[in-house]
Amino acid sequence: MMKTVSAAIPLFALCGLAQAFTYTVTIGIDETNGQQGIGFDPSAIRPSPGDTITFTYALPEYLKNPPPVQHSATQSTFDNPCTAMSGGFDTGVHETGWVSSSTGDSFNLVVNDTQPLWFFSSVGDDCKQGMVLAVNPPLSGDQTADAFKQKAMLSTSTPSATAPSSSSSPASSQPPSGTSSAAPTMTSPPPPSQSTNSAASHMAKLELCLAAVVAFIGVTVMAQ
Ligand SMILES: *[C@@H]1O[C@H](CO)[C@@H](O)[C@H](O)[C@H]1NC(C)=O
């Protein structure tokens, strides 16, 4: 029996290794309706250390011949949502393409810890229109994904300006507009969100892996 258990341990370790996961964020999609728009889809994700964020400009196949639109995925800070963080990740400005024609560039960023990461689109007033992405945002307090979006939409700064940020009055003093947290009206059914799929397959993979380990132990026990 000792032998069985020790043989199973490397399998459990493999389950852990298999968990490194890719979160795909599509640039130029309004996540509330799945249509082309000023937004990241999804606009909030919770990757684990070691996971990869793939920023893609390739729009999904259900959009038929979408016109190319320029955006960026540029890292910022919570305090200055619409200003590029010095030394931060930046895809640069790119045009959206169509997955069916194999156009639309992709950029990967490996997540190394669970610290929040904040992103915006630096094109035009994308950011003021709420085109922001929160990675591992706090779920409560005054630095949530919603608070970040509100702050971006209230932002008066162009990417190079430095607006004074009053630390005593957080963005949450503004009443939320309700558009960001309201449930989308399902007039045209949006495609299943990538992140929901991701989370589901993440769990499925873990369960499969653990099932394999249990099966392995079972077979080994029966063989003895
Ligand atoms: C994680 O570390 C890699 C390698 O040092 C670096 O290229 C990458 O930018 C880091 N990721 C983040 C989100 O800072």
Side-chain angles (χ1 to χ4, degrees):
M1 198 54 194
M2 280 308 290
K3 223 190 298 185
T4 305
V5 169
S6 59
I9 287 170
L11 280 182
F12 276 111
L14 273 176
C15 283
L17 277 180
Q19 288 310 105
F21 194 73
T22 297
Y23 286 74
T24 300
V25 173
T26 306
I27 298 171
I29 292 287
D30 177 346
E31 69 177 348
T32 65
N33 61 15
Q35 299 302 304
Q36 197 171 14
I38 312 270
F40 294 97
D41 181 27
S43 66
I45 54 175
R46 311 202 74 81
S48 301
D51 287 346
T52 297
I53 305 172
T54 296
F55 292 95
T56 182
Y57 287 84
L59 301 179
E61 186 156 14
Y62 64 83
L63 295 172
K64 298 305 171 196
N65 278 311
V69 179
Q70 289 194 329
H71 298 288
S72 83
T74 305
Q75 192 173 1
S76 64
T77 58
F78 183 87
D79 287 335
N80 294 295
C82 302
T83 303
M85 181 180 112
S86 111
F89 175 86
D90 192 356
T91 64
V93 173
H94 293 269
E95 227 162 52
T96 52
W98 191 25
V99 74
S100 299
S101 56
S102 300
T103 54
D105 297 329
S106 286
F107 301 84
N108 289 337
L109 176 63
V110 174
V111 174
N112 301 313
D113 52 41
T114 56
Q115 290 303 301
L117 304 170
W118 311 100
F119 299 87
F120 71 110
S121 169
S122 65
V123 174
D125 60 358
D126 280 359
C127 189
K128 284 179 74 173
Q129 291 193 54
M131 185 162 175
V132 293
L133 164 71
V135 176
N136 287 318
L139 293 172
S140 59
D142 56 11
Q143 300 210 347
T144 61
D146 262 0
F148 182 59
K149 185 172 177 176
Q150 295 299 323
K151 205 168 164 63
M153 294 177 83
L154 291 170
S155 169
T156 54
S157 66
T158 56
S160 57
T162 47
S165 64
S166 59
S167 53
S168 57
S169 64
S172 56
S173 61
Q174 283 285 335
S177 74
T179 50
S180 61
S181 54
T185 44
M186 300 289 183
T187 45
S188 63
S193 157
Q194 198 81 33
S195 65
T196 315
N197 281 349
S198 303
S201 73
H202 206 169
M203 283 312 297
K205 217 157 78 177
L206 179 62
E207 276 165 21
L208 250 177
C209 200
L210 292 180
V213 170
V214 170
F216 170 83
I217 293 172
V219 166
T220 312
V221 168
M222 273 165 57
Q224 282 171 349

